[in-house]
Amino acid sequence: MVEVPTFQPVRPVRLYERIVEQIEAMLASGGLQPGDRLPSERELVVQFGASRSTVREALRVLESNGVVRSRPGDPHGPEILPWSSGGLEKQLTRLARASELSLSELIGSRMILDAAANRLAARLRSPAELEDMDTAHRAMRDAIDVGYEAFSEADVAFHEAVARASRNAMIQVCNAVVRDVVLGLISTKISRSRNARALMHESLRHHAEVLDAIRAGDGDRAASTSTRSLYTYYSGYLGKAEREPLLALLD
């Protein structure tokens, strides 16, 4: 019997999305540069063969994503803005919060990103960046007696210091997005846990081990310590099957 092929459902594409795709493609190819101006709204209507409302919706999306800027009363067309991590962060946050991404996938992504950041930081960190990590770690220790919210803020500051020391903007943006979404999903459970204080002490110890490896310039140890500590910290919120992909990252 001949197997019948299966197809994926088609997704309706709105006209304004096609306009956004064309402008973003021209940016990617170098046909448009930061500081350039798009044609006026009237001219865009003519060139795209679309209605004014469709063009305006496309420009609204591009402006929301940080691609262009329109000024009221400006006789020129919208201005192409320099690349900014803000637009990318918005898009990644939307993806990370989508229902298609499981908590296991998000935690796995964080394990991968943190490992990369720690490995690079161990090699590239400056004395000032190392001091920032020390300061954040001391703040974590002091925050245990204050509460989980203060501890979490200091924890974030530690990871941000490590990410900055990685010298990689993509790691900084992606790590921040995944971390914030994961914490948003489970922070309430942690703060209300009966052993919240024990969890904070455990996390403090793990961060001390990572910091020691970064200070020693041992990137492999910093990366593996970070990966294992994240697994230990978060695996209790996952079922057995959900932990399997994460265990593969510990090998």
Side-chain angles (χ1 to χ4, degrees):
M1 182 176 180
V2 178
E3 185 176 346
V4 178
T6 57
F7 299 96
Q8 296 296 319
V10 295
R11 182 178 68 89
V13 178
R14 299 174 182 176
L15 288 177
Y16 78 85
E17 292 177 326
R18 291 301 191 199
I19 296 176
V20 170
E21 287 173 0
Q22 282 197 49
I23 293 174
E24 290 182 337
M26 192 166 290
L27 276 166
S29 67
L32 284 171
Q33 300 288 337
D36 289 348
R37 295 277 187 163
L38 292 177
S40 67
E41 182 181 292
R42 180 178 298 178
E43 179 60 25
L44 288 174
V45 168
V46 173
Q47 289 191 28
F48 287 116
S51 67
R52 177 163 294 187
S53 62
T54 298
V55 169
R56 285 179 175 174
E57 180 63 14
L59 294 176
R60 186 194 65 77
V61 170
L62 290 167
E63 189 158 19
S64 175
N65 291 343
V67 176
V68 303
R69 175 174 55 201
S70 299
R71 295 186 178 93
D74 190 342
H76 305 289
E79 179 185 4
I80 302 296
L81 295 176
W83 182 87
S84 167
S85 62
L88 174 61
E89 191 167 344
K90 286 181 181 179
Q91 295 297 326
L92 287 173
T93 300
R94 292 190 188 113
L95 172 63
R97 287 177 176 166
S99 58
E100 289 82 0
L101 288 177
S102 67
L103 180 59
S104 175
E105 289 174 304
L106 290 167
I107 293 172
S109 297
R110 186 172 179 196
M111 290 167 67
I112 293 168
L113 290 165
D114 260 38
N118 281 286
R119 179 174 280 108
L120 288 169
R123 181 185 180 101
L124 303 175
R125 86 289 185 279
S126 67
E129 289 164 338
L130 192 58
E131 179 58 32
D132 288 342
M133 297 175 212
D134 272 319
T135 299
H137 189 256
R138 289 194 297 270
M140 290 174 66
R141 181 192 61 209
D142 296 340
I144 290 177
D145 292 327
V146 179
Y148 176 74
E149 184 175 346
F151 182 86
S152 182
E153 289 178 1
D155 183 5
V156 168
F158 180 90
H159 288 283
E160 287 179 342
V162 172
R164 287 194 300 273
S166 75
R167 307 286 196 276
N168 189 302
M170 285 295 291
I171 286 179
Q172 292 181 57
V173 172
C174 295
N175 215 344
V177 168
V178 174
R179 181 188 62 238
D180 290 349
V181 173
V182 170
L183 288 176
L185 291 172
I186 66 173
S187 60
T188 301
K189 295 179 181 179
I190 297 175
S191 62
R192 293 179 181 176
S193 172
R194 293 181 180 179
N195 64 337
R197 188 178 179 87
L199 288 172
M200 287 188 282
H201 274 290
E202 181 183 34
S203 177
L204 184 68
R205 178 174 60 81
H206 289 159
H207 283 71
E209 293 173 357
V210 170
L211 181 55
D212 181 65
I214 292 175
R215 183 180 287 109
D218 190 339
D220 289 341
R221 178 159 63 93
S224 62
T225 300
S226 170
T227 302
R228 290 186 177 279
S229 66
L230 285 170
Y231 177 82
T232 300
Y233 195 74
Y234 289 121
S235 61
Y237 301 96
L238 302 171
K240 182 178 179 180
E242 294 174 306
R243 290 196 294 267
E244 287 299 321
L246 306 187
L247 286 169
L249 296 174
L250 302 181
D251 294 338

